[in-house]
Amino acid sequence: MIEIKARGIIKIAETTYKLKNYKYYHYPPKVPKHIDIEVTNICNLRCIMCPSDKHKRKRSFMEFELYTKIIDELDQLGIKSVWLQVLGEPLIHKDIIRMVRYAKEKRGIGRLGFSTNCNFLTPEISRELIESRVDRLIFAIDAATESTYNLIRVGGNYHETVKNIETFFQIRKKLNISEPSVRLQFIVMQQNKNEIDDFRDYWQNKIGERDQIAFKPCDNWAATVENFILLEQKQMNVSFEAWKSRMGEINGRNKKVSITYRTPCHGFLFTGGSILSNGDFTVCGLDIEGEMKLGNISENSIHELWNGRIIHHIREKHMSNKVDEFNLCKNCSRTYRSLSI
C-alpha cells in the first residue's frame, strides 16, 4: 500500500517540480552562466573518491593558445564564473599563473578559481596566486590526521600540505590582500567521518574572515566512485533501482515516509558546461570521458555549441523523463530529489 501511494506522490512531485522550474528548464540562458576549463587532466594523487586516475582519456596539458582562445570568447560572452578544473591538479601546469593572470585581465569574466590538493603550493606559488587576484581557491584536505589523509589522498604528504596552507595564510596576511577567499574542504566519507570536529577545531582560528571551512558529501561522479566510500545518505545513492526499493523506508523518529523522485538535471545541463584539456566541450562536469561532448572548441565557438542541436536534444530527453537513455545521467545523483510525507 505504501508503495502504491509513493508512486502516485512521485508522479505529482515530478510534475510539480517541473512546473515550479518551468522557466529554468524551458528557457535556458543563451549564454552559459558558468564554464569549467580543464587545464590538465593529470594529477599527482590517486584519491579514493575521485576518478581522476581512472579515466581513459589521453593525459594532457591544455595548450596556452587554446586557453586564450577560450578565455577571449568567454570575455566577449560575459561569463559570470570560470573554474580552471574538471579533473587533474591545476598547479602542475607550467602556465597556471600565466593562465590566471590572463583571465583576470578580462573585464567580461566574473569570478575565477580552482581547487588544489596543495602539494605544490610553494611559498612562491602562493605569493603569485595572491598577487594575481584570483577570486577563490579550494584547498582540498579531507582529513585531520596523517593516517586518514594517507588512506584517502594516496600519494600525498599530509604534513607538507598543512604547512603549505598555513604558509599561504601567512603570506596573504603579510601582503594585506583579502583575496583569494579560501574554502578548506573536507569531503565526508566513511573513512573520515569521525574527524569532522578535529578538522574544524584545528583550522577555525587559522583562516581569514572571508574564508570558510566546508564539509560536503561525496559525489558519486555518475557512479564512477565506489559504493564503500559513500555515506548512507539518499542524495549519494548511485542506483535508481536502489532508490525505488527504499520508497517505503520510514523514519523512526517522526514516522515519515521518505520519497525520492527523478528530475531533469538540476546542474550543468542548463547552466554551464566543461571544456576538457583537448578542447572538447561537454555538457557535464562529471563527464570524465567526454561521452556527451558537443564538439571541439578548435572548430566551434562556445556560443554555437551551447545553443546547438546536440545539447537541445539532450535537454529535451531530460524534460521527457528519458534521463536513462544517457549512460552518464542514469546513475547520477544530481537527477534525484527527495521529500518526506
Side-chain angles (χ1 to χ4, degrees):
M1 185 66 183
I2 290 178
E3 184 172 345
I4 295 174
K5 180 181 178 182
R7 291 184 183 279
I9 294 175
I10 285 176
K11 188 66 177 177
I12 295 173
E14 290 174 344
T15 303
T16 302
Y17 180 85
K18 287 181 182 179
L19 289 174
K20 184 179 180 180
N21 296 277
Y22 184 86
K23 184 177 180 180
Y24 174 82
Y25 286 120
H26 287 271
Y27 299 97
K30 295 297 182 182
V31 173
K33 295 180 180 180
H34 172 87
I35 289 291
D36 294 331
I37 303 174
E38 185 183 69
V39 296
T40 181
N41 59 10
I42 302 171
C43 188
N44 58 304
L45 303 187
R46 301 181 304 282
C47 302
I48 62 174
M49 70 294 191
C50 178
S52 189
D53 65 327
K54 301 177 179 65
H55 70 87
K56 300 176 183 177
R57 286 187 288 129
K58 180 181 178 181
R59 268 57 176 176
S60 64
F61 294 94
M62 180 174 283
E63 296 290 338
F64 188 73
E65 290 73 22
L66 175 60
Y67 174 81
T68 58
K69 179 181 186 298
I70 295 168
I71 291 296
D72 289 346
E73 183 179 355
L74 296 181
D75 178 37
Q76 295 174 1
L77 294 175
I79 297 295
K80 295 180 180 179
S81 172
V82 176
W83 195 248
L84 301 183
Q85 191 174 41
V86 177
L87 295 179
E89 167 54 49
L91 289 186
I92 67 176
H93 197 300
K94 64 181 180 63
D95 291 321
I96 186 60
I97 300 298
R98 186 182 175 197
M99 288 173 159
V100 170
R101 288 172 177 162
Y102 188 84
K104 289 302 296 178
E105 291 173 356
K106 306 297 181 179
R107 294 186 177 182
I109 292 179
R111 290 174 61 78
L112 179 79
F114 61 87
S115 175
T116 173
N117 59 47
C118 301
N119 278 234
F120 294 96
L121 189 67
T122 64
E124 180 183 2
I125 291 294
S126 291
R127 177 180 289 273
E128 289 182 315
L129 283 173
I130 294 165
E131 292 178 339
S132 75
R133 303 288 179 165
V134 62
D135 297 283
R136 53 192 175 128
L137 293 172
I138 292 177
F139 291 166
I141 313 173
D142 308 316
T145 63
E146 182 180 18
S147 58
T148 299
Y149 179 90
N150 290 341
L151 179 65
I152 294 173
R153 294 194 157 268
V154 181
N157 186 310
Y158 175 73
H159 294 293
E160 192 70 24
T161 296
V162 170
K163 178 184 175 182
N164 289 345
I165 294 172
E166 291 177 343
T167 301
F168 178 94
F169 287 140
Q170 293 166 5
I171 293 173
R172 190 182 60 179
K173 183 177 181 179
K174 185 177 180 179
L175 292 174
N176 194 27
I177 299 176
S178 60
E179 294 177 332
S181 62
V182 171
R183 185 170 77 180
L184 287 171
Q185 182 168 282
F186 187 108
I187 298 177
V188 184
M189 296 167 271
Q190 296 285 4
Q191 290 78 0
N192 63 6
K193 60 184 180 181
N194 295 324
E195 295 187 4
I196 290 176
D197 291 338
D198 290 339
F199 185 86
R200 183 190 294 111
D201 291 343
Y202 184 85
W203 290 105
Q204 62 184 354
N205 294 322
K206 293 180 171 62
I207 62 176
E209 293 183 0
R210 299 180 64 247
D211 303 328
Q212 65 175 168
I213 299 172
F215 300 94
K216 60 173 287 189
C218 181
D219 200 301
N220 78 340
W221 281 85
T224 60
V225 168
E226 299 294 338
N227 290 338
F228 78 92
I229 297 170
L230 306 177
L231 289 177
E232 285 299 318
Q233 297 180 22
K234 292 180 175 56
Q235 67 267 32
M236 293 181 243
N237 203 309
V238 299
S239 169
F240 188 44
E241 292 302 318
W243 277 122
K244 289 193 292 186
S245 70
R246 295 172 65 183
M247 283 192 300
E249 181 181 357
I250 296 183
N251 184 315
R253 184 174 60 180
N254 55 25
K255 303 301 182 183
K256 288 186 176 181
V257 179
S258 178
I259 302 295
T260 304
Y261 60 96
R262 206 68 182 273
T263 71
C265 176
H266 45 269
F268 301 98
L269 184 57
F270 294 86
T271 57
S274 298
I275 302 173
L276 304 180
S277 56
N278 66 348
D280 284 345
F281 185 17
T282 177
V283 299
C284 180
L286 304 181
D287 186 8
I288 64 173
E289 300 293 356
E291 297 175 17
M292 300 178 70
K293 72 175 185 179
L294 306 176
N296 192 282
I297 299 304
S298 298
E299 303 167 355
N300 304 97
S301 71
I302 296 169
H303 188 267
E304 287 174 337
L305 297 175
W306 178 252
N307 295 281
R309 176 182 56 82
I310 299 176
I311 195 169
H312 178 74
H313 170 74
I314 298 172
R315 289 170 180 161
E316 286 292 315
K317 290 290 186 181
H318 271 247
M319 288 301 298
S320 303
N321 292 328
K322 297 179 180 179
V323 177
D324 286 353
E325 291 189 15
F326 305 101
N327 288 330
L328 186 70
C329 305
K330 67 181 181 181
N331 289 320
C332 180
S333 58
R334 303 190 187 203
T335 59
Y336 297 98
R337 294 287 183 180
S338 61
L339 60 102
S340 295
I341 58 171

